């Protein structure tokens, strides 16, 4: 079985910003790891934000942040 990432979702994730709180308007990749861990412990929000926060925690936990930053540069956000 081959696992292939969804390019459109990765680009969206790379440019997704925190919609509220202390880190409002920060890219999810810029959120501190302890904040993401805290969110998972307290309960992630439902929907896309919760899915993206969980995915970003996995990405950061596995040292894959450079991949997201490369996506941000190579696929700039459309206006």
């Amino acid at each position: 079985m081959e696992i292939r990432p969804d390019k459109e979702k990765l680009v969206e994730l790379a440019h997704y910003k925190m919609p509220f709180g202390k880190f409002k308007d920060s890219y999810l990749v810029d959120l501190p790891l302890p904040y993401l861990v805290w969110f998972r412990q307290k309960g992630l929000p439902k929907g896309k934000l919760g899915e993206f926060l969980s995915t970003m925690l996995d990405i950061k936990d596995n040292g894959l942040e450079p991949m997201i930053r490369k996506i941000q540069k190579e696929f700039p956000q459309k206006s």
Side-chain angles (χ1 to χ4, degrees):
M1 179 173 133
E2 184 177 346
I3 298 175
R4 303 184 106 192
D6 182 336
K7 176 184 168 186
E8 290 177 14
K9 276 230 178 197
L10 280 173
V11 171
E12 184 180 7
L13 172 65
H15 294 287
Y16 203 88
K17 292 184 178 182
M18 192 65 186
F20 60 83
K22 180 179 180 178
F23 297 103
K24 183 178 185 196
D25 296 328
S26 297
Y27 290 112
L28 298 186
V29 71
D30 294 330
L31 298 177
L33 185 59
Y35 183 70
L36 293 170
V37 170
W38 174 84
F39 238 119
R40 182 174 277 170
Q41 290 171 342
K42 293 294 180 183
L44 293 166
K46 294 187 187 299
K48 185 183 289 187
L49 177 60
E51 177 185 329
F52 280 178
L53 288 171
S54 179
T55 301
M56 191 56 68
L57 176 55
D58 292 338
I59 286 169
K60 286 173 128 332
D61 205 29
N62 287 291
L64 299 173
E65 287 174 70
M67 172 188 73
I68 297 299
R69 297 197 189 282
K70 183 176 179 181
I71 290 169
Q72 286 176 326
K73 288 179 184 171
E74 291 184 7
F75 300 93
Q77 189 172 23
K78 297 173 185 170
S79 302

